[in-house]
Structures are given as structure tokens and as C-alpha cells.
Amino acid sequence: MTALVIAGGNLKRVLRDRTGLFFLFVLPLLMVFVLGLAFGGTSAPKLGVVAGGEHLLSELRAADLAVTEYEDETALRAAVERGELGAGLVASPGELRVVARQDNTGQQVRLAASDVLARESARLAAARFTARQTGVDEDAALALVDSSRVPVVEVRVTTSGEAAFPADVGPFDLTASAQLLLFVFLTTLTSSVALVETRRLGVSRRMLSTPAGTGAIVVGEGLGRVAVALLQGAVVVTGSSLLFGVRWGDPLGAGALLLAFAFVAGGAGMLLGSVTRTEQQAGGLGLALGMLTAALGGCMVPLELFGDAMRTASLFTPHAWANQGFTELARHGGLLDVLPEVGVLAGFAVVLYALGAWRLRRALTA
């Protein structure tokens, strides 16, 4: 009971910090929103067109391209150079020319329009052939080509092997879990400042003078940090689901991963708060360790993009295991599929809590 009272006191202390509430709840949701837009979003590639004609324009728009018409090629080139367009298309009799930026935006538009341009080139070639063979002008030949009926060719697209993610996974789904892990761990580490302050102000010694034993104080301090991590995680999960439609997968699996990771973060926070001597040390080290382990654990760059050496090194962080678990849930896995990751996280939590409790007990009784 005493441990629960101490844990509740730690949670109230965090919630009373109005500035801290922004970093605790608002900033993680903002990051989910911004990174979700950056890693996919819903904006269509922008393409400018000069003298495209109704047929070509309708085909481009049907390919989900944001098409803007321009009067001449000079204005089109200027828009591409200023970055207003990823690429431009100049249609002249019998020819299609593409003006594209050399960066990823230009290549994205070129790729998105490639099928349409291939069909349009074949249409123009067929019209020129028809005009030469029949003697009609090119407009009449185009009308003949458009009116002709070609047997429908059925195209089937299959995936060889296992796709990285199901087709229904959205951009927000891929970034939300990484931001959840980053902020939960970072917040819990930096909250170790409060533990150092408690020791420095003599609050811990005054608690020792009460019937509360050292064990209850250690357990209470640890549970307080777990409570903060769980509350932040629950707000991020619920808020991102309601605001951005993030799908966290199987609720039992997601809950088990969040609970295990919260205990890992709580243990790490208690260990850091017990080995540092000043609030400045705890805050600085907490920020550095939180960002470093998040980067190494795949919260800033997906683990799928890591090389073999970095992928192996990432397994020494709890973030990598939790990220693997949430990725499995995104692939429609369930609780049983993420039990290995939950087990490894539980191991991290036991080690960190044992070390944190040992160091905190020594600090309280020294």
C-alpha cells in the first residue's frame, strides 16, 4: 500500500508540471502527425502539361497525378526549377517531352506518369501509321485509333515472397509506434530528475524515518515511473487512433508490448536517477541516452533500412524488440506472434529494475 501511495505521488508530481504536459502528451501526437505526412501523406505528385489535349489530360488525372496546364514551355520550366512541380510534360505533334527535376520528387512524378506516357506514345504512333496508310489527316487518324476496339488483356499482379507490410498499412501506422517508443523511454529517463531532487532535498530520508521500509520506497519509486510511461503510452495510442486513424493491431498484443516496454523504461529511469548526483546530470544523460537508444533501435530510421551490422547492434536496445513486435502486429499478427519480443522486453525490465533497486537502496541507506 505504501508503495502505491509513493507511486501515486510521483504521478501527481509529473501531471502538475504544465510545461511537461506538452512534452508528455501533445508533442508525441504532433510528431506522429508530421512524420505520417512526411512518410507518405495523401498529396498527389504534381505534373505540369503544355498542349496536352483532353485525352492525355484525362489519362494523367486518372493516374492520380495533380495536373496543371501551362500556356508555354518557358512557364512550365520555370515552375519545375522553382520546385512548384516535380516534372513537366510538353506535348507537340508526334512527340512527348518530359522536363523533370533531378531529385526524388522529379523521379517520383516521372515514374507515376510512365504508364500513361507509354500508352500515349503508342497511340500517337498508331495514328501516324494509320495516317500514312489511309491518307487521312492526323486528327482523323487519332479518332480512328480511339474508336478502334482492342481485345482486353487481363493483367494479374502477384507478390513473390513476403511483402514488408500489408497493402492496407497507412503512413501513420508506420510512424506512430516508433514515436510512441521514443517518447515513452525519453520521458521516463528525463523524469529521473525528480528522483535525484527527492534525494537531494532529503525527502527520501524523511520517508525512511516513517514506518515505510526501504523496499516500499524503492518499489514505489519504480512503479511511479511505470505509471507515467503507461499513461503517456495510453494517451498516444488512443489519441493517434482517434485523430489519425492509426491501427495498432491486435489489442492484446499491443497492450502486452506497451506494458513490457513501460517496465523497461521505468527500470531505466530508476537506475539513472539512482546513479546520478545532480538534476543536470540526470537530465542531460537522460536526453542523450534516450535519443541514442531510439536512433539505434529503429525509431528514427526503420530497422528494415539498417545494414547487417547495425541490425545486430540494434538488438541490444529494447526499442528494436518493441519495434519488431509492433511491426508484427501491423502484419496482422496477434499476441502469440509477439510473445518472443515481450519475453525479451521482460528480461530487459528485470535486469534494469534489479540494478536500479540495488543502486537506489544503497543511495538511500548510505
Side-chain angles (χ1 to χ4, degrees):
M1 186 63 185
T2 303
L4 294 178
V5 172
I6 295 174
N10 277 288
L11 183 60
K12 290 179 182 177
R13 190 175 181 181
V14 171
L15 295 179
R16 284 174 181 167
D17 182 2
R18 295 185 179 180
T19 304
L21 293 179
F22 173 81
F23 295 96
L24 194 63
F25 301 128
V26 179
L27 186 58
L29 291 174
L30 281 177
M31 292 300 294
V32 170
F33 176 68
V34 172
L35 293 178
L37 291 180
F39 285 95
T42 56
S43 61
K46 297 179 180 178
L47 175 71
V49 178
V50 175
E54 289 302 322
H55 182 275
L56 177 58
L57 292 174
S58 62
E59 289 283 317
L60 292 170
R61 288 180 177 127
D64 293 331
L65 288 162
V67 179
T68 304
E69 294 185 71
Y70 284 79
E71 293 291 335
D72 53 55
E73 185 174 347
T74 302
L76 176 73
R77 285 183 176 275
V80 172
E81 290 171 356
R82 289 194 298 267
E84 297 171 3
L85 300 171
L89 174 65
V90 181
S92 58
E95 183 183 20
L96 295 173
R97 287 186 292 114
V98 176
V99 180
R101 296 178 61 82
Q102 293 301 312
D103 56 17
N104 291 335
T105 305
Q107 302 311 312
Q108 181 188 15
V109 178
R110 185 196 289 271
L111 182 63
S114 59
D115 287 345
V116 176
L117 297 182
R119 290 198 301 271
E120 185 66 12
S121 297
R123 175 174 173 263
L124 294 175
R128 287 196 297 272
F129 177 80
T130 302
R132 285 197 302 270
Q133 296 298 318
T134 61
V136 299
D137 60 33
E138 192 161 320
D139 289 339
L142 277 173
L144 284 173
V145 170
D146 291 340
S147 64
S148 63
R149 295 287 183 268
V150 179
V152 176
V153 178
E154 182 180 2
V155 178
R156 293 181 179 177
V157 179
T158 60
T159 300
S160 178
E162 183 180 359
F165 296 100
D168 60 348
V169 173
F172 293 112
D173 300 346
L174 297 176
T175 59
S177 59
Q179 296 309 302
L180 168 71
L181 300 175
L182 187 158
F183 279 98
V184 165
F185 201 75
L186 187 62
T187 300
T188 312
L189 281 185
T190 54
S191 70
S192 60
V193 171
L195 183 55
V196 177
E197 187 181 44
T198 298
R199 290 163 41 209
R200 183 177 61 81
L201 295 178
V203 176
S204 301
R205 291 190 178 279
R206 288 198 291 274
M207 284 193 292
L208 281 175
S209 66
T210 68
T214 308
I217 297 174
V218 171
V219 173
E221 292 289 352
L223 288 180
R225 274 137 196 85
V226 173
V228 173
L230 283 176
L231 178 62
Q232 185 183 31
V235 171
V236 172
V237 169
T238 305
S240 60
S241 298
L242 296 176
L243 295 175
F244 314 124
V246 173
R247 288 167 294 185
W248 292 89
D250 178 61
L252 292 178
L257 285 172
L258 176 59
L259 181 63
F261 192 79
F263 271 93
V264 174
M270 189 167 70
L271 177 60
L272 182 63
S274 61
V275 298
T276 50
R277 295 179 180 275
T278 66
E279 291 90 334
Q280 290 77 16
Q281 288 180 352
L285 277 176
L287 183 62
L289 290 174
M291 298 301 289
L292 179 64
T293 51
L296 188 59
C299 293
M300 299 180 183
V301 177
L303 291 171
E304 288 75 12
L305 301 182
F306 281 16
D308 292 339
M310 285 297 295
R311 190 68 183 266
T312 302
S314 72
L315 297 179
F316 289 94
T317 70
H319 302 65
W321 292 93
N323 268 318
Q324 284 185 185
F326 281 112
T327 300
E328 190 62 37
L329 294 181
R331 292 171 177 156
H332 302 162
L335 175 61
L336 293 179
D337 298 307
V338 299
L339 280 182
E341 286 80 8
V342 172
V344 173
L345 290 174
F348 272 107
V350 169
V351 172
L352 289 171
Y353 257 102
L355 290 174
W358 171 64
R359 284 293 306 178
L360 184 57
R361 183 184 293 272
R362 286 193 59 182
L364 292 176
T365 57

